[in-house]
């Protein structure tokens, strides 16, 4: 699927901040682990969402549990007591529920963070599979000075922010690629 002017919705399984709001992310949420998606604990909510999306009758781009290669969300496989493979299983479960309910107007965007943040985490094991992903995305912010192999700051260019991630995405699958979040900050003089 796909279409111009499609709404794009990030779907974060849990609340990502604690009630007191002092921290941005809350990586320990036992009630919102990928395994609780797979076991059906959230099916009622997800099925209601799928039905409403189907009834909308327009293509809807869904970016489920983005930045899964990071360590700052509860759905990351290295947080919250999650096991390898549970992220993929959760993605497939949600996708299958949408399909079973006829919500075939969903465009599924698998969107890791740029690999510079966690270079030891490879993307291929986190990829749900070609039958479950329509587009690949990436989240990338130029927020710090990256150094080259001589210790010299790299220029804040598109290539220095995204090129490595684009290469790895292209090695995982042949799908359209979209930048799902981007930006820069002046922190560090960027």
């Amino acid at each position: 699927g796909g279409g111009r002017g499609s709404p794009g919705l990030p779907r974060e399984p849990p609340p990502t901040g604690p009630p007191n709001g002092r921290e941005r992310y809350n990586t320990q949420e036992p009630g919102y682990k990928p395994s609780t998606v797979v076991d059906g604990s959230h099916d009622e909510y997800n099925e209601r969402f799928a039905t409403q999306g189907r009834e909308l009758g327009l293509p809807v781009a869904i970016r489920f549990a983005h930045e899964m290669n990071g360590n700052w969300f509860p759905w990351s496989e290295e947080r919250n007591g999650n096991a390898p493979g549970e992220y993929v299983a959760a993605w497939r479960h949600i996708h299958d529920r949408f399909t079973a309910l006829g919500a075939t107007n969903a465009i599924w965007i698998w969107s890791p963070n740029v690999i510079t943040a966690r270079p030891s985490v490879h993307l291929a094991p986190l990829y749900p599979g070609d039958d479950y992903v329509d587009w690949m995305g990436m989240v990338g912010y130029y927020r710090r000075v990256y150094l080259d192999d001589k210790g010299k700051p790299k220029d804040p260019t598109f290539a220095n922010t995204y090129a490595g991630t684009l290469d790895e995405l292209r090695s995982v699958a042949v799908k359209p690629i979209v930048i799902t979040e981007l930006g820069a900050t002046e922190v560090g003089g960027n």
Side-chain angles (χ1 to χ4, degrees):
R4 282 203 175 108
S6 300
L9 302 170
R11 286 277 291 122
E12 296 183 353
T16 55
N20 62 19
R22 289 189 313 215
E23 296 176 25
R24 181 166 178 214
Y25 302 121
N26 187 0
T27 61
Q28 301 300 317
E29 284 286 343
Y32 293 95
K33 299 163 58 105
S35 61
T36 67
V37 172
V38 174
D39 74 12
S41 295
H42 309 286
D43 279 356
E44 181 181 339
Y45 173 81
N46 288 313
E47 289 172 3
R48 187 171 62 246
F49 188 86
T51 301
Q52 291 170 348
R54 181 193 70 217
E55 290 171 358
L56 179 64
L58 297 171
V60 178
I62 298 174
R63 184 173 58 125
F64 175 72
H66 61 290
E67 300 177 47
M68 76 301 295
N69 59 322
N71 63 356
W72 45 86
F73 285 125
W75 53 85
S76 171
E77 288 191 346
E78 61 185 79
R79 291 285 188 226
N80 207 21
N82 302 328
E86 287 181 339
Y87 171 83
V88 168
W91 177 288
R92 290 177 178 178
H93 180 82
I94 295 284
H95 184 282
D96 289 347
R97 297 306 312 137
F98 272 64
T99 301
L101 291 166
T104 56
N105 55 318
I107 302 164
W108 294 90
I109 305 175
W110 177 72
S111 182
N113 194 70
V114 289
I115 61 174
T116 50
R118 309 274 302 147
S120 64
V121 178
H122 297 286
L123 299 181
L126 299 168
Y127 183 65
D130 287 349
D131 291 342
Y132 292 89
V133 173
D134 297 307
W135 298 349
M136 294 190 296
M138 62 180 161
V139 174
Y141 292 82
Y142 191 89
R143 49 173 96 223
R144 64 179 178 184
V145 175
Y146 292 104
L147 304 177
D148 65 17
D149 56 357
K150 294 182 173 85
K152 181 181 176 222
K154 291 182 177 183
D155 292 329
T157 64
F158 182 91
N160 284 336
T161 303
Y162 299 107
T165 305
L166 279 170
D167 290 345
E168 190 162 346
L169 286 172
R170 290 176 178 140
S171 76
V172 170
V174 177
K175 297 281 182 178
I177 299 173
V178 62
I179 297 173
T180 54
E181 291 182 40
L182 65 110
T185 70
E186 59 280 346
V187 174
N190 298 335

